[in-house]
Amino acid sequence: MPAGGSLCGCPLDSAVVTGEDQAQLPPQYAPGNVEPRLYDRWESSGLFTADAKASKPPFCIVIPPPNVTGSLHIGHALDHTLIDALVRRRRMQGYNALWLPGMDHAGIATQNVVERELANEGLSRHDLGREKFVERVWQWKAESGGKILGQMRRLGDSVDWSRERFTMDEGLSRAVQTIFKRLFDDGLIYRAERIINWCPRCLTALSDIEVDHSDEDGELVSIRYGEAEDSIVVATTRAETMLGDTAVAVHPDDPRYSHLVGREIELPLSGRRIPVVADPHVDPQFGTGAVKVTPAHDPDDFEIGRRHGLPSRTILNERGVITAKGPFEGLDRFEARPAVVAALREQGRIVAEVRPYVHAVGHCMRCGTVVEPRLSLQWFVKVGPLAKVAGDAVRDGRVRIHPTDMAARYFDWVDDMHDWCISRQLWWGHRIPVWYGPDGQVSSVGPGEDPPGEGWYQDPDVLDTWFSSALWPFSTLGWPDDTDDLRVFYPTSVLVTGYDILFFWVARMMMFGLYAMADRGPIDAVPFRVVALHGLVRDAHGKKMSKSRGNTVDPLDWIDRFGADATRFTLARGASPGSDVAISEEWVTGARNFCNKLWNATRFALLNGARVPAARPPREALSVADRWILSRLAAVTADADALFEQFEFAKLCEALYHFAWDEVCDWYLELAKLPLSSGDSAAARTTRDVLGYVLDRLLKLLHPVIPFVTEELWVALTGGDSIMIAPWPGSLAGGSGESSPRASTASTGDAAGPAYH
RNA sequence: GGGCGGUUAGCUCAGUGGGAGAGCGCUUCGUUGACACCGAAGAGGUCACUGGUUCAAUCCCAGUAUCGCCCACCA
């Protein structure tokens, strides 16, 4: 298609530099004068909006929905840059490209933020009551969410705003209720009393992966239970739990204790008599080879208790305060620990010295509080069958994980996963769609259905945030309804996200996507065809960014000072698949200079009357320099395509950077000065053509990564509507298997491959 | 306790069985009409260590050291 033609039937207003003004590009690129204007133009012209009815091959990426809490950080900026680059390239290649935006309600995180806000007013959520509190969160979401959307615009995200979704909107709530009921009816969701991870501060259950483990200094205390030859020494790091012991366990083959198995010994302090049981789980090599058993407060002990029919004694309440009658009642677990040890010592029950002991302690990933294993009645997803299917889809190549070594982590998790605790004792989230009858009946209620009857009440808990995010690739496209969007854009093409949420999000989308969309058959039930994982953003020395370290980068700050393009280029330039990205102010400065270099190269071309030729100059008219730069262009174009297909953004940026700076600017442009100085000679005309041709292509190749400058310059150079819909200079076919077979055979527009070789 | 990855120029990182690289930083020079957010020239590395395979190893293999990440219900 000709440059400058109206490509979409929705002509852009062209209040940019045109005609005589072309030569008036200022000598320095000022992003602040360009970016907001261009984004508004793009958005209002509808270029971001996909059309499900279009005959073009589909290409779809759903955004990893940012939490409504807070604002976008530099990690989001990386993610968005990479996604935007992929989407923009596909759009130029003639695909029906959709980047679907939205946000996540982020259950615990958001509730915590609003509760903190309330605390500043001296209130708790209970003062407001459930309904008022949830109302307040919605109110808060309205403000905070708007901020994030503004940041996405600043970054240049070419998202389809008409399709924006939220994990708590009406449609997604229906999706949640629908899949819950299906899973429940299929026996894949159940309710059970189990030891779960409990946060005594957030006062809710957590899933296994919401617990962060870190090695901490603890004390291993050896305690003598029983008397004389009926005594046995156990070791523990959590002495206070002995108040809830209901047995001591030893290995069945351990000769040291065989005489005690089956007998009862006295538990110190309480004086209760507890049995000694033999259980193969006990490691005779560790410590004394005898373990205290606290079924209500330890997952292992719970299992031992179950095997031996032991009672469970709960001695801590939901806040981690001792409830066992006696001198320790009312003490916090961390106060009770030394108090219990002291009492035992007084009775001569502490045998060996208390030993320092480093062990892994679990913390609530939202607030850092030490997690307490707690026996409670919760809802679970039975993950076995779902995870099997999710693993197979990657094993047999229906979903490809980039880089491939990340697949090993995926398998580790998916192949050995505990059931997923999905109920949370919160108010902000999807209420569990289950009702309980007056006689203890349990009924799962689908969307739009009425409660089963009088006297029934709904479960007060809400679902884990990740339950609704797991539905994101199809719920956002309209599921459970059979919509055009769902038919056209599912499975989505690529999922681009950080490796840190491989388990939280990616694996669960796999499980739920394959389950919910199973009727499409194994090939097309997958939520995405490719998973492209990137790393975390780190500072110049590879250190993790953190507020306490003071090395964080605010993307808006960089955008203000260096421009969105420079920010994006810096991030993309560091992004090798799966590797962390080190950035610093020196890097953005370089990227900003690069944008300026492009600006001035184009400015030079305009000053010298370069233009994009309608037809290529005859080969015999080309100088050696012309032929050289054109062959280099062809090679770089091919490289760029290959690198895009492999998500090698760092190498892509490197290749284009060097071509543009070293070869086009430092060499070709300098060599061109001689023929250009010869006025209207044939050589000058050819050089102007070649220069225009090369810059046209170069700007297009760079546009996916640095959309703003390239748009501004390309419009000035060609007089075209928008580079966004100009034909991609490289290959048009998708090569990474991210598109459906239907899509990969399609081609659009002219085969705009390099014309010179 | 398992699994994975790194160790190359001052810093951050590419890289390949035979010639050691980039960006930034550094040194010297340059007020040539695209750009000083620039240009030209240049300094700087026993490619962690040890052994092996090979005509040849920074690159392949084994081991060591060290850093980092992920997973894990051993008190």
Side-chain angles (χ1 to χ4, degrees):
Chain A
M1 57 187 83
S6 187
L7 300 169
C8 63
C10 43
L12 301 165
D13 95 71
S14 46
V16 233
V17 253
T18 53
E20 278 80 64
D21 294 338
Q22 278 183 2
Q24 300 306 315
L25 286 183
Q28 213 171 71
Y29 173 52
N33 298 338
V34 170
E35 292 171 359
R37 187 186 77 232
L38 291 186
Y39 196 89
D40 287 349
R41 209 156 59 92
W42 286 333
E43 191 180 345
S44 60
S45 66
L47 290 178
F48 296 162
T49 311
D51 177 7
K53 300 263 196 289
S55 59
K56 298 186 285 187
F59 178 83
C60 176
I61 294 182
V62 290
I63 196 172
N67 291 354
V68 278
T69 40
S71 51
L72 299 186
H73 54 67
I74 195 76
H76 293 113
L78 168 65
D79 193 57
H80 291 202
T81 296
L82 304 187
I83 294 175
D84 199 39
L86 294 176
V87 171
R88 283 178 182 272
R89 170 166 172 266
R90 285 291 187 232
R91 192 150 38 214
M92 291 171 79
Q93 287 180 314
Y95 283 76
N96 187 11
L98 167 62
W99 180 7
L100 192 149
M103 283 181 284
D104 194 288
H105 67 282
I108 304 187
T110 306
Q111 173 157 331
N112 280 352
V113 170
V114 176
E115 283 194 274
R116 224 172 292 140
E117 207 177 69
L118 281 179
N120 289 338
E121 301 164 26
L123 295 171
S124 82
R125 69 175 143 126
H126 300 282
D127 295 326
L128 294 193
R130 184 167 189 147
E131 205 173 315
K132 280 268 186 307
F133 177 77
V134 168
E135 215 170 90
R136 171 101 181 215
V137 182
W138 274 106
Q139 203 179 358
W140 188 86
K141 181 256 169 189
E143 297 160 21
S144 176
K147 198 158 66 183
I148 290 173
L149 304 183
Q151 288 176 306
M152 291 174 63
R153 289 183 158 84
R154 293 293 310 276
L155 270 168
D157 293 353
S158 62
V159 296
D160 184 344
W161 292 111
S162 72
R163 287 178 165 85
E164 186 198 336
R165 302 304 297 265
F166 181 53
T167 51
M168 290 265 284
D169 67 27
E170 190 275 332
L172 268 70
S173 296
R174 268 174 43 231
V176 165
Q177 289 159 23
T178 303
I179 199 163
F180 188 100
K181 183 159 173 55
R182 273 176 61 176
L183 287 164
F184 180 88
D185 292 344
D186 283 349
L188 293 170
I189 282 185
Y190 64 93
R191 192 179 190 221
E193 189 164 52
R194 292 274 182 84
I195 296 269
I196 44 81
N197 305 291
W198 179 265
C199 176
R201 199 215 66 87
C202 298
L203 300 178
T204 179
L206 303 170
S207 66
D208 290 346
I209 50 176
E210 285 169 302
V211 178
D212 290 331
H213 292 272
S214 61
D215 280 345
E216 277 174 28
D217 297 329
E219 288 179 338
L220 195 60
V221 184
S222 298
I223 309 167
R224 183 171 47 85
Y225 285 13
E227 294 297 340
E229 57 233 43
D230 278 4
S231 75
I232 204 163
V233 175
V234 298
T236 180
T237 54
R238 295 194 299 153
E240 73 283 6
T241 62
M242 61 91 60
L243 302 172
D245 284 2
T246 56
V248 168
V250 298
H251 191 87
D253 301 333
D254 194 330
R256 291 171 295 178
Y257 305 114
S258 50
H259 67 289
L260 286 174
V261 172
R263 298 179 56 177
E264 291 195 335
I265 59 174
E266 186 194 328
L267 180 67
L269 301 183
S270 72
R272 275 188 358 250
R273 298 194 63 80
I274 56 175
V276 176
V277 300
D279 193 285
H281 172 81
V282 179
D283 176 3
Q285 307 300 320
F286 188 94
T288 61
V291 195
K292 60 192 276 307
V293 181
T294 324
H297 295 284
D298 184 278
D300 290 335
D301 294 3
F302 180 74
E303 291 305 320
I304 294 176
R306 195 145 73 169
R307 284 196 286 272
H308 298 275
L310 301 170
S312 290
R313 291 179 77 97
T314 297
I315 57 135
L316 291 168
N317 69 11
E318 72 279 4
R319 292 178 189 275
V321 171
I322 303 283
T323 54
K325 297 286 176 227
F328 308 105
E329 189 176 359
L331 288 182
D332 178 79
R333 54 194 166 143
F334 295 119
E335 297 167 351
R337 188 167 302 167
V340 166
V341 172
L344 288 166
R345 190 183 300 282
E346 215 164 281
Q347 298 187 7
R349 290 287 184 170
I350 305 293
V351 291
E353 277 310 297
V354 169
R355 288 215 323 273
Y357 187 75
V358 178
H359 62 139
V361 177
H363 297 261
C364 169
M365 74 175 299
R366 280 298 158 203
C367 74
T369 302
V370 174
V371 162
E372 194 62 41
R374 184 161 199 259
L375 185 61
S376 75
L377 189 58
Q378 303 285 348
W379 284 95
F380 295 86
V381 170
K382 184 176 171 186
V383 295
L386 297 169
K388 170 73 167 65
V389 173
D392 288 345
V394 175
R395 254 185 292 274
D396 62 26
R398 277 132 64 207
V399 174
R400 299 206 341 272
I401 295 183
H402 273 270
T404 47
D405 51 314
M406 285 288 177
R409 288 191 189 187
Y410 174 82
F411 293 134
D412 276 353
W413 195 69
V414 144
D415 293 343
D416 184 29
M417 191 178 169
H418 293 198
D419 282 356
W420 173 17
C421 176
I422 50 170
S423 42
R424 297 290 178 276
Q425 288 64 53
L426 306 170
W427 287 350
W428 175 243
H430 294 281
R431 186 103 175 241
I432 291 180
V434 167
W435 294 72
Y436 303 107
D439 303 316
Q441 309 96 311
V442 175
S443 172
S444 167
V445 172
E449 293 175 22
D450 291 326
E454 282 300 311
W456 289 62
Y457 67 97
Q458 187 174 5
D459 193 300
D461 292 347
V462 302
L463 289 164
D464 182 0
T465 281
W466 297 100
F467 190 93
S468 53
S469 347
L471 317 180
W472 192 247
F474 48 97
S475 62
T476 54
L477 293 172
W479 192 89
D481 298 335
D482 181 23
T483 62
D484 287 344
D485 273 8
L486 192 63
R487 273 195 298 270
V488 171
F489 293 112
Y490 192 94
T492 65
S493 309
V494 191
L495 181 83
V496 181
T497 193
Y499 61 70
D500 54 327
I501 53 175
L502 188 59
F503 305 145
F504 286 101
W505 195 43
V506 179
R508 282 159 177 178
M509 282 191 287
M510 291 287 290
M511 294 196 303
F512 280 10
L514 287 160
Y515 174 78
M517 306 301 286
D519 57 348
R520 293 208 172 189
I523 304 283
D524 290 330
V526 298
F528 25 73
R529 320 222 83 118
V530 177
V531 177
L533 295 169
H534 60 248
L536 277 30
V537 180
R538 293 171 176 272
D539 75 6
H541 299 287
K543 296 270 185 275
K544 206 169 177 175
M545 287 193 174
S546 68
K547 278 172 199 134
S548 59
R549 223 190 281 265
N551 61 351
T552 55
V553 168
D554 175 3
L556 279 193
D557 174 53
W558 272 19
I559 292 171
D560 287 341
R561 291 160 58 215
F562 303 101
D565 288 328
T567 303
R568 293 169 59 120
F569 194 79
T570 304
L571 293 164
R573 185 189 211 173
S576 293
S579 303
D580 290 347
V581 181
I583 59 164
S584 71
E585 204 150 311
E586 282 157 4
W587 288 78
V588 227
T589 307
R592 178 256 263 145
N593 296 353
F594 178 58
C595 293
N596 193 239
K597 192 72 180 175
L598 290 172
W599 181 267
N600 275 288
T602 309
R603 180 163 177 263
F604 172 85
L606 291 170
L607 286 168
N608 286 281
R611 63 204 167 81
V612 185
R616 76 178 183 194
R619 188 182 166 81
E620 56 276 15
L622 298 175
S623 68
V624 174
D626 293 334
R627 287 209 293 273
W628 168 73
I629 200 66
L630 290 168
S631 77
R632 285 294 305 135
L633 173 67
V636 165
T637 302
D639 288 348
D641 265 325
L643 294 169
F644 256 114
E645 298 298 333
Q646 295 153 26
F647 310 103
E648 291 280 5
F649 294 98
K651 288 176 185 161
L652 170 78
C653 291
E654 197 70 8
L656 294 175
Y657 180 94
H658 282 293
F659 175 67
W661 201 309
D662 300 351
E663 302 188 309
V664 174
C665 291
D666 289 349
W667 279 104
Y668 185 73
L669 227 139
E670 292 302 324
L671 292 171
K673 285 176 181 173
L674 191 61
L676 285 174
S677 67
S678 67
D680 195 36
S681 69
R685 285 197 297 274
T686 304
T687 300
R688 282 196 286 267
D689 281 355
V690 174
L691 191 52
Y693 181 87
V694 170
L695 283 178
D696 166 61
R697 302 283 163 129
L698 175 60
L699 291 171
K700 286 172 181 169
L701 291 172
L702 281 164
H703 176 257
V705 178
I706 47 173
F708 292 108
V709 235
T710 49
E711 168 80 328
E712 183 77 352
L713 293 174
W714 188 83
V715 169
L717 181 70
T718 66
D721 280 341
S722 172
I723 196 173
M724 268 188 69
I725 42 173
W728 178 252
S731 145
L732 291 178
S736 62
E738 71 204 8
S739 310
S740 61
R742 175 168 51 115
S744 62
T745 54
S747 86
T748 313
D750 62 4
Y756 299 98
H757 297 284

